[in-house]
Amino acid sequence: MPSSEQGNQVDEIQLWFARQLREFVAGAGGPSYRQLALGIDALGASLSKSTIERILNGRTHPKPEMVEQIVRAAHAYAGRPGEPDLGVWERHYDRLQERLIVLGQGSRTIANAVADEEGRIWPRRLGSIPGAVEAFQERLDPLVDRVAGSFILTGTGGVGKTQAAAEYIRGRLAAGDLDLAIWISAGARDTIVSGMAAAATDLTGASYQDPELMAHRLRTWLAGTRHRWCVVLDDLSDISHVRGLWPLPSARGITLATTRRQDDGLRGYGRRVEVGVFRRDQAVTFLRARLPADAGSDDDLAGLAHDLGFLPLALAQVSTYMCDRELDCRTFRARWADTRRRLADLIPEPSALPDDYPVGLDAALELSVVEADKLHPAGTARTVLQILSVLDPNGVPESVLRTPAATALMPSADEDLRRDAQRDGVRNLRRLNLLDIAVDDATAETRILRVHVLHQRSTAELMSAARRYEVAQTAAQALLDCWAAPPSGSALDRMLRANAFVLYRREPEALFTPEPHEVLFRMGRSLGEAGQAAAAVEHFRQIDARVHDGTTGGTSVLAFKSRGYLAWWLAQAGRHGEAADAFESLYADQAEVLDPEDPDLMQTRQSAAVWRGHSGDLDVARQQLEQLYLERIRIQGPHHRDTISNRNHLANFRSYCGDFQGAWELHDQALRETEARVGPDHPDTLRARATAMRHRGEMGEIQRAVEAYRALAEHLQGAVPGHPSTFSARHQLHEWVARSGQLDAAVAGMERLLADRLAALGPEHPHTLDSRLLLIRWRNRSGDRERALAEADALRRDLERTLGPDSVFARAIPAALEPW
């Protein structure tokens, strides 16, 4: 259109609007320009007479606030009550704006533009808004404002971001507080541009051949319109796709983007709103609405939801699968637990998918992994996820991935690059919402990685058998590498143990081929050291059975090792007679293949004697340890650590047999040796003195034992206050204080120690339980029987929940409550 013709039409549009405004002023009594200016002043605004004259005669394009001021001043001049109907003028102004946009594009005549405008119906819906799903669960309100702003709905695939956005629009349209909804697929820049161009054409009646220009016309229109609007950019896969296209800020508009991404670059586009999986109650409500009434109880539905990780997409597709095949919850869960079945076997066929979702659960999960794996450095995200897929979905310490074993699996030849690739792989997974990173509350340091259980299953299914073996072996070694640092009973120790048992359940054959991996022994040891000795016995019994049944490789040394662990934890579980039998049987078999002076054979012989003694044969144990001690001196020398260990056990059994003098002589010898080696004030000397003075205390010199343990405890408390050896020294001190008759002081000291052990070791650690048991005994002896009974009941309940009713500690409670 020639510029002169275009200018004439702009004049015509402004004259049309000015005519509407003049007619309103005339109907209000026809105030002059001066009277209108004074009225506007009275409203607290300012508009000159000349500006009012130009607006009313169509010689200038007014701003919305100018029109509002003239209308209010005329309304007041006429003496009309209340407020004028500004909605009429908003609609007139919108028509003016839209017609000017049409002329700015120059593609249609004014007559056509006006005709199209007047024929439109509001509210408007542009683009294909997804239909409602059955049993939808609202999760956005009040997270997303209903007034104005930009919001990024982010979450992993399948959480329902698209449906949440669609339901938000449907709710606002139904409430009548939204005039325009525009739905645009944002998977690629081309689709965003074409969607915006189509909306611009529909709204303005104009069409340019350049779709980018049309998209920018939509942004301009949205920024200037008085209509209330919402634009949804659905499934945004790349930040670069929206550069220069994001709707401009407007007091009348809301922009929602749904995306699997949570890149830092998205922060500048709007407020991030996390859309997560269902809560338990939401999942049960959702399944109850979609499944037959006889599918199961609420607990059955909750169990099904737990199996599926509470992921809305999984719940929707699985519930459809169950209905099509008439399966109840328990039947389906049995199928789900069968690892021979793949995800694709447990959801509807592509032609039967519910809710118009385009792909099955398995494909939807893989899509995010593919996108993450494309990010630089390519290939690292999937490798990291493969390791995490065989570990605990509740949390994997990030330090596991930083071990040499885990970093060696990264796709790079350079060690430094592999470490960087591992770190970047974790962050790339996070950018696609495939894992969460949190800091463990118990340590305030350990970073925890959490992956959805369905992403774990999907990733594991896509690995070849050879790759799964490689990944499982890598994960096992990584856990073992990481286990070298944390003390027993720590939060990190518990997490490593939980991860090891998940790995054991998921990939048992990989951990037994070609022979049992060392992590199997380490996880059993951790289990026992956490106070679960009975569970450790069962664990090592399983390993021993696998070693001996021919289903796994293993040398005689390995077989001896598994039997040794089993015997040890039988002893720690309080089954001393069984432990002695197990060690004696092991000794007999070792003696057939080992040299009589082999250190391992002598150690088994010592353990057999010790636990035979603890089972009641004190004299037999003392005699066997005496004989072995002399042999050790001859073979290994008097200062070998095994000889010294033998001497300590012999001293203890002399004491148990009532030979306190003989016990003291052995430990006094140890004290003199230690003092000569490291000096009188060394911690080792303090320990040796305390051990020796324990026997003097048993001979009646109780105060000497108290003083020796007090010196040791005070030194350790100042040097390493939270160390287990410090706790042990304090424990011994309080025992001797109690034996000295100072029960109140012993109780007060043990209460402080119990608080420290609870904080450092946790409630299930054997040392913590031992403190609780001793407190019960001393309260009972001091006359506070009512409190002792209450604490005994509490301890019994805790033990039944954690270790079972037959634990060593549970069997010891009655003795603690016996009259003194």
Side-chain angles (χ1 to χ4, degrees):
M1 176 185 296
S3 59
S4 60
E5 182 181 350
Q6 186 179 31
N8 291 335
Q9 292 195 357
V10 170
D11 291 341
E12 183 179 341
I13 292 169
Q14 289 180 176
L15 288 171
W16 168 80
F17 184 81
R19 185 168 61 251
Q20 307 300 314
L21 195 55
R22 283 200 309 273
E23 290 176 358
F24 178 80
V25 171
S32 66
Y33 301 144
R34 180 175 179 277
Q35 288 169 324
L36 286 173
L38 291 172
I40 291 171
D41 287 341
L43 294 172
S46 178
L47 210 58
S48 68
K49 291 186 295 180
S50 60
T51 301
I52 296 172
E53 185 272 332
R54 287 197 302 274
I55 292 172
L56 292 178
N57 287 287
R59 294 204 301 273
T60 188
H61 178 58
K63 295 180 180 179
E65 57 268 24
M66 294 176 177
V67 176
E68 181 178 339
Q69 291 161 10
I70 292 173
V71 170
R72 287 185 179 277
H75 183 82
Y77 181 83
R80 294 168 182 165
E83 295 288 328
D85 183 3
L86 294 175
V88 172
W89 293 102
E90 289 178 359
R91 290 191 290 274
H92 285 337
Y93 195 84
D94 284 344
R95 289 185 180 182
L96 171 64
Q97 290 289 91
E98 290 166 4
R99 292 175 190 178
L100 289 174
I101 289 174
V102 171
L103 285 176
Q105 295 173 340
S107 62
R108 308 208 313 163
T109 65
I110 269 194
N112 287 336
V114 172
D116 284 2
E117 163 60 24
E118 291 175 349
R120 292 187 188 120
I121 300 174
W122 297 87
R124 311 281 305 279
R125 303 185 190 194
L126 303 178
S128 181
I129 301 174
V133 299
E134 182 183 4
F136 176 81
Q137 301 291 298
E138 176 59 66
R139 286 178 292 161
L140 286 191
D141 285 344
L143 298 177
V144 174
D145 198 347
R146 284 180 171 263
V147 180
S150 292
F151 302 90
I152 313 295
L153 310 186
T154 181
T156 191
V159 292
K161 303 178 295 294
T162 294
Q163 281 299 330
E167 191 65 22
Y168 171 81
I169 285 179
R170 284 191 289 269
R172 289 201 58 187
L173 289 170
D177 65 355
L178 187 65
D179 302 319
L180 173 64
I182 304 176
W183 191 277
I184 297 171
S185 176
R189 186 174 180 88
D190 287 348
T191 60
I192 299 174
V193 170
S194 62
M196 294 182 72
T201 299
D202 191 283
L203 289 167
T204 67
S207 179
Y208 267 3
Q209 290 185 346
D210 184 352
E212 288 269 355
L213 180 57
M214 289 297 296
H216 288 291
R217 290 296 184 191
L218 177 65
R219 297 177 79 213
T220 303
W221 187 92
L222 291 173
T225 185
R226 304 285 285 183
H227 288 297
R228 298 160 299 182
W229 55 266
C230 179
V231 173
V232 176
L233 300 169
D234 184 41
D235 198 18
L236 178 64
S237 60
D238 193 312
I239 303 173
S240 65
H241 294 167
V242 291
R243 287 189 183 128
L245 298 176
W246 194 269
L248 299 171
S250 167
R252 289 288 189 147
I254 286 182
T255 301
L256 297 179
T258 71
T259 181
R260 302 175 188 223
R261 306 287 289 261
Q262 54 175 336
D263 304 65
D264 188 66
L266 282 169
R267 182 167 45 181
Y269 287 95
R271 182 163 66 87
R272 191 170 76 181
V273 177
E274 296 281 353
V275 182
V277 298
F278 283 153
R279 300 190 309 269
R280 182 185 188 277
D281 60 314
Q282 291 174 323
V284 170
T285 300
F286 183 85
L287 290 171
R288 180 62 69 199
R290 297 177 70 114
L291 291 173
D294 61 355
S297 65
D298 282 357
D299 286 342
D300 291 329
L301 297 180
L304 171 61
H306 179 271
D307 290 347
L308 302 176
F310 299 94
L311 187 71
L313 178 63
L315 297 177
Q317 295 194 1
V318 162
S319 60
T320 297
Y321 174 91
M322 292 171 63
C323 289
D324 288 344
R325 289 157 180 77
E326 299 182 358
L327 303 176
D328 61 20
C329 287
R330 295 182 181 181
T331 305
F332 176 81
R333 293 183 71 190
R335 292 191 182 188
W336 184 263
D338 185 350
T339 55
R340 295 171 299 176
R341 299 176 187 266
R342 299 173 69 86
L343 283 175
D345 302 327
L346 298 166
I347 59 174
E349 301 85 351
S351 60
L353 292 172
D355 305 326
D356 293 328
Y357 203 81
V359 295
L361 175 63
D362 54 334
L365 295 170
E366 175 62 8
L367 178 62
S368 295
V369 181
V370 170
E371 291 300 315
D373 212 37
K374 291 177 182 177
L375 300 175
H376 182 76
T380 56
R382 186 180 293 277
T383 302
V384 170
L385 188 56
Q386 286 175 339
I387 298 174
L388 296 176
S389 73
V390 298
L391 297 174
D392 188 2
N394 296 313
V396 179
E398 190 174 14
S399 52
V400 170
L401 291 179
R402 294 177 179 169
T403 59
T407 54
L409 203 61
M410 295 299 114
S412 175
D414 184 275
E415 183 176 351
D416 290 336
L417 292 179
R418 284 199 300 269
R419 283 195 294 269
D420 289 344
Q422 175 272 321
R423 187 184 185 283
D424 290 345
V426 169
R427 271 62 191 176
N428 288 344
L429 289 171
R430 187 169 184 264
R431 288 168 66 186
L432 266 295
N433 269 298
L434 288 166
L435 62 72
D436 294 325
I437 303 177
V439 177
D440 180 58
D441 293 337
T443 64
E445 295 178 355
T446 305
R447 292 168 66 85
I448 308 302
L449 310 180
R450 294 188 177 92
V451 178
H452 195 278
V453 65
L454 292 184
H455 280 298
Q456 288 189 312
R457 181 164 182 163
S458 174
T459 300
E461 285 184 358
L462 293 174
M463 286 191 283
S464 66
R467 181 62 171 176
R468 285 185 69 158
Y469 175 83
E470 181 183 25
V471 167
Q473 284 274 310
T474 296
Q477 190 59 46
L479 290 172
L480 197 61
D481 291 346
C482 204
W483 232 319
S488 172
S490 68
L492 182 54
D493 176 72
R494 293 193 296 272
M495 281 188 284
L496 292 172
R497 183 172 69 249
N499 275 275
F501 273 99
V502 169
L503 176 61
Y504 182 28
R505 288 195 302 270
R506 291 181 174 176
E507 303 294 336
E509 298 308 316
L511 297 189
F512 278 102
T513 308
E515 63 181 29
H517 194 284
E518 184 63 30
V519 78
L520 291 166
F521 300 102
R522 185 64 183 84
M523 60 200 274
R525 174 184 147 198
S526 171
L527 192 66
E529 289 173 348
Q532 302 181 54
V537 167
E538 181 58 30
H539 174 73
F540 283 111
R541 201 182 295 281
Q542 291 177 14
I543 295 176
D544 187 54
R546 285 293 300 266
V547 170
H548 288 87
D549 67 5
T551 61
T552 183
T555 62
S556 59
V557 173
L558 185 65
F560 294 155
K561 181 177 181 178
S562 66
R563 291 171 65 185
Y565 271 114
L566 175 58
W568 170 257
W569 288 108
L570 280 167
Q572 300 309 303
R575 296 154 68 173
H576 299 157
E578 292 179 64
D581 291 342
F583 276 119
E584 289 168 356
S585 174
L586 176 59
Y587 174 75
D589 291 343
Q590 284 179 315
E592 294 182 2
V593 296
L594 299 178
D595 185 276
E597 297 183 358
D598 186 283
D600 289 342
L601 185 62
M602 288 191 289
Q603 187 60 39
T604 302
R605 182 178 166 190
Q606 176 178 305
S607 296
V610 167
W611 295 112
R612 181 59 64 197
H614 282 297
S615 69
D617 293 337
L618 300 177
D619 286 330
V620 170
R622 179 176 56 82
Q623 292 169 9
Q624 291 178 347
L625 289 170
E626 293 268 15
Q627 181 180 352
L628 181 60
Y629 179 51
L630 295 176
E631 292 179 22
R632 283 194 187 277
I633 292 175
R634 176 179 59 82
I635 297 168
Q636 297 174 299
H639 303 302
H640 191 278
R641 67 176 187 178
D642 290 346
T643 306
I644 294 172
S645 170
N646 197 142
R647 182 175 64 189
N648 287 335
H649 282 294
L650 174 58
N652 290 335
F653 274 96
R654 282 183 176 179
S655 176
Y656 299 153
C657 292
D659 183 8
F660 302 127
Q661 179 68 30
W664 177 79
E665 289 173 355
L666 288 176
H667 277 139
D668 185 58
Q669 177 186 348
L671 169 61
R672 285 184 276 107
E673 291 173 356
T674 305
E675 189 170 10
R677 186 177 72 254
V678 297
D681 299 320
H682 193 277
D684 289 350
T685 305
L686 295 177
R687 289 189 184 89
R689 181 175 293 113
T691 302
M693 290 307 104
R694 174 165 60 90
H695 300 301
R696 302 303 299 182
E698 288 166 340
M699 288 188 283
E701 300 178 52
I702 293 177
Q703 196 57 37
R704 293 183 70 177
V706 170
E707 291 171 357
Y709 275 109
R710 177 168 285 118
L712 175 61
E714 288 176 353
H715 171 81
L716 293 176
Q717 184 67 20
V720 282
H723 196 276
S725 63
T726 306
F727 294 153
S728 178
R730 290 169 62 189
H731 185 105
Q732 293 284 344
L733 169 61
H734 301 324
E735 282 207 81
W736 282 105
V737 168
R739 291 180 67 170
S740 73
Q742 304 175 66
L743 281 176
D744 289 343
V747 166
M750 188 58 75
E751 286 175 338
R752 291 191 295 271
L753 176 58
L754 175 59
D756 291 343
R757 278 179 163 169
L758 278 168
L761 305 177
E764 298 176 16
H765 195 282
H767 293 170
T768 304
L769 297 173
D770 201 26
S771 292
R772 292 179 68 180
L773 194 62
L774 210 52
L775 262 178
I776 291 168
R777 178 181 291 114
W778 291 344
R779 291 195 200 282
N780 183 53
R781 291 182 177 182
S782 66
D784 192 358
R785 184 166 177 79
E786 183 176 351
R787 186 169 179 181
L789 289 170
E791 290 183 357
D793 287 340
L795 177 58
R796 189 179 292 109
R797 290 193 299 272
D798 291 345
L799 291 170
E800 288 177 355
R801 187 182 67 256
T802 56
L803 304 182
D806 296 326
S807 68
V808 175
F809 294 99
R811 295 198 299 270
I813 292 176
L817 293 172
E818 289 179 354
W820 192 34

